[in-house]
Amino acid sequence: MLEELMRLDKEVFLFLNNLGSSEWDAFWMFLTNKWSAIPLYVLLLILSYKQFGTKKLLVVLITVVLLITATDQLSNFFKYGIQRLRPCYDPEVSQMMRLVKDYCGGKFGYFSAHASNTSALALFFTILFRPYYKYLGIFLIVWAIFVSYSRIYIGVHFPLDVLSGIVVGFLFGWLFAKLYIFAIYKYRI
């Protein structure tokens, strides 16, 4: 069963990865670059300050730092624990794929830290801002999905790496949003 799932994952990866074209490479490389999201992060901080004030903004910042640390380090734990090769290191697919990036990244790729981090942030802020900004959550979830897909497009993650990262990110985003809300009410911040 697991072998069949891995085979299917590789087939889906090759299909999706080979849909890419040089005309779109720059767009997906921009989207996958963690620094390209800085304007979005600044906007989320401004909205947090506007909606919640200084004290709660500090709690948001602390929560986000802990959230990203948790999802990122859990991703590393799984990468080195499971040791699933990234597509560019996998001899079964490396010769048939498009590697858009100059560098493939570390040897192991399960699960995608990009997918988990962006999904966690997207759901965290979706929950926090749901009462105030009607469509922000939709935008954030779509952004997280695009960033996650970019990892397949550029050739550094299999679809299951990305889907697992999204699931973990959503779980942690939900958990940390609930912890933030609990802390705000418990300590009357």
Side-chain angles (χ1 to χ4, degrees):
M1 174 80 175
L2 185 60
E3 288 177 16
E4 180 63 22
L5 183 62
M6 295 296 107
R7 184 192 61 75
L8 181 61
D9 191 31
K10 290 177 183 184
E11 286 179 16
V12 172
F13 166 77
L14 287 172
F15 173 75
L16 293 173
N17 175 257
N18 284 302
L19 287 175
S21 67
S22 57
E23 293 84 25
W24 284 95
D25 289 353
F27 169 77
W28 291 104
M29 283 298 294
F30 172 79
L31 199 59
T32 206
N33 185 324
K34 61 185 172 188
W35 303 113
S36 66
I38 286 178
L40 176 61
Y41 300 149
V42 170
L43 174 65
L44 291 171
L45 289 176
I46 291 168
L47 292 176
S48 295
Y49 174 74
K50 178 183 170 194
Q51 204 59 52
F52 306 128
T54 305
K55 287 182 182 177
K56 289 181 184 175
L57 172 62
L58 291 175
V59 178
V60 166
L61 286 172
I62 291 167
T63 306
V64 165
V65 167
L66 293 173
L67 171 61
I68 296 303
T69 301
T71 56
D72 201 59
Q73 292 311 304
L74 186 63
S75 170
N76 286 331
F77 175 79
F78 273 85
K79 283 177 185 172
Y80 294 104
I82 292 178
Q83 296 186 351
R84 183 179 188 202
L85 295 174
R86 287 182 185 265
C88 49
Y89 294 115
D90 188 321
E92 291 181 35
V93 297
S94 62
Q95 299 303 313
M96 298 177 277
M97 60 170 276
R98 296 177 71 245
L99 181 60
V100 178
K101 226 175 139 175
D102 291 338
Y103 172 65
C104 185
K107 191 173 183 181
F108 307 118
Y110 185 83
F111 56 89
S112 168
H114 271 76
S116 65
N117 293 343
T118 56
S119 298
L121 284 174
L123 193 60
F124 176 80
F125 281 107
T126 294
I127 292 169
L128 258 57
F129 290 135
R130 186 180 321 153
Y132 313 107
Y133 303 103
K134 187 175 180 179
Y135 298 108
L136 182 62
I138 294 168
F139 171 78
L140 292 173
I141 299 297
V142 169
W143 165 73
I145 290 169
F146 270 64
V147 169
S148 298
Y149 173 75
S150 74
R151 308 307 288 167
I152 298 167
Y153 181 96
I154 67 171
V156 297
H157 281 293
F158 288 107
L160 281 178
D161 303 346
V162 168
L163 288 174
S164 298
I166 290 170
V167 169
V168 169
F170 283 163
L171 287 171
F172 274 73
W174 175 84
L175 176 65
F176 276 74
K178 296 302 179 182
L179 289 172
Y180 168 83
I181 293 166
F182 172 78
I184 293 299
Y185 286 112
K186 171 85 175 167
Y187 300 105
R188 295 186 179 101
I189 298 173

